[in-house]
């Protein structure tokens, strides 16, 4: 499930001020809700957010840096110590508190059947539709397998035509536009 840009913007506008910055982060970084809620200011630097995940049986630590677009940088606010996103009372967000407010935003927006994780799918879908390579999308999402990101390949019907056009170019090493 993913939203159009208009639906995405409408949902963000429908959010209460308390979660609008988190929802903006979800849509424009492709991070998971847990990654957003646990993001610490020390993990935001040089215009990127560093998201840490622990994968596999050995729980190997992986860090991926996601460049932050102006839409996110504008809502982050002043750099502090501790968590980037805090509840209005200054405490850390928990899933229940976030989901209570999220549910109201979904109802207000009139969008049905949409979960916070679907913002990640929206992020990936928009990138693919705009011509991003599947490898780049996989890297931004933190997928180690291309199989995970192949679910978005149908959204870029022109990718084969764009690739075959490379044969017509002289002296270039571009793999995508």
């Amino acid at each position: 499930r993913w939203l159009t840009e208009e639906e995405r913007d409408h949902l963000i506008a429908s959010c209460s001020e308390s979660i609008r910055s988190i929802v903006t982060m979800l849509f424009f970084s492709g991070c998971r809700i847990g990654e957003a809620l646990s993001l610490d200011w020390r993990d935001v630097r040089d215009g990127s957010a560093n998201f840490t995940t622990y994968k596999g049986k050995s729980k190997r630590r992986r860090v991926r840096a996601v460049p932050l677009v102006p839409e996110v940088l504008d809502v982050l606010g002043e750099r502090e110590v501790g968590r980037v996103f805090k509840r209005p009372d200054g405490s850390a967000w928990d899933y229940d508190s976030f989901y209570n407010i999220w549910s109201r935003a979904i109802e207000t927006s009139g969008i049905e059947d949409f979960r916070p994780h679907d913002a990640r799918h929206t992020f990936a879908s928009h990138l693919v539709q705009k011509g991003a390579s599947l490898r780049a999308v996989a890297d931004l999402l933190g997928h180690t397998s291309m199989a995970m990101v192949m679910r978005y390949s149908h959204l870029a019907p022109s990718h084969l035509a764009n690739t075959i056009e490379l044969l017509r170019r002289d002296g270039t090493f571009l793999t995508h536009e």
Side-chain angles (χ1 to χ4, degrees):
R1 172 88 166 101
W2 56 276
L3 301 180
T4 65
E5 290 181 4
E6 294 78 21
E7 290 170 323
R8 175 201 65 202
D9 295 344
H10 177 64
L11 175 53
I12 291 170
S14 297
C15 290
S16 73
E17 194 65 37
S18 62
I19 67 166
R20 189 172 296 141
S21 58
I22 299 169
V23 174
T24 300
M25 173 67 104
L26 295 176
F27 276 116
F28 288 96
S29 73
C31 70
R32 299 169 182 91
I33 184 61
E35 292 172 331
L37 297 182
S38 64
L39 186 65
D40 195 277
W41 277 108
R42 68 177 177 255
D43 298 321
V44 179
R45 56 184 170 273
D46 301 325
S48 292
N50 294 311
F51 298 109
T52 303
T53 54
Y54 298 89
K55 297 282 186 176
K57 288 182 181 180
S58 64
K59 296 293 182 195
R60 195 175 71 178
R61 181 177 182 264
R62 290 191 201 146
V63 178
R64 75 180 190 284
V66 177
L68 299 177
V69 295
E71 289 84 350
V72 172
L73 293 171
D74 291 346
V75 299
L76 286 184
E78 293 297 315
R79 190 172 187 87
E80 297 178 17
V81 174
R83 298 269 171 94
V84 172
F85 301 110
K86 296 178 184 173
R87 294 172 54 177
D89 66 5
S91 64
W93 281 100
D94 58 67
Y95 287 104
D96 289 339
S97 300
F98 175 81
Y99 277 98
N100 286 335
I101 299 171
W102 168 265
S103 297
R104 280 183 259 151
I106 290 296
E107 188 176 318
T108 300
S109 71
I111 294 171
E112 296 179 3
D113 190 32
F114 196 79
R115 302 164 301 137
H117 193 78
D118 296 330
R120 185 170 161 85
H121 297 298
T122 300
F123 169 80
S125 298
H126 289 182
L127 286 173
V128 170
Q129 289 169 353
K130 292 174 185 263
S133 73
L134 293 176
R135 179 74 260 164
V137 173
D139 290 346
L140 288 168
L141 294 175
H143 293 307
T144 55
S145 162
M146 287 300 291
M148 289 296 293
V149 80
M150 287 304 293
R151 72 181 81 179
Y152 304 107
S153 63
H154 71 281
L155 296 172
S158 65
H159 77 284
L160 294 177
N162 290 343
T163 301
I164 209 70
E165 270 302 307
L166 293 172
L167 294 172
R168 299 178 53 101
R169 294 187 187 163
D170 290 329
T172 181
F173 294 100
L174 291 178
T175 58
H176 66 278
E177 292 181 22

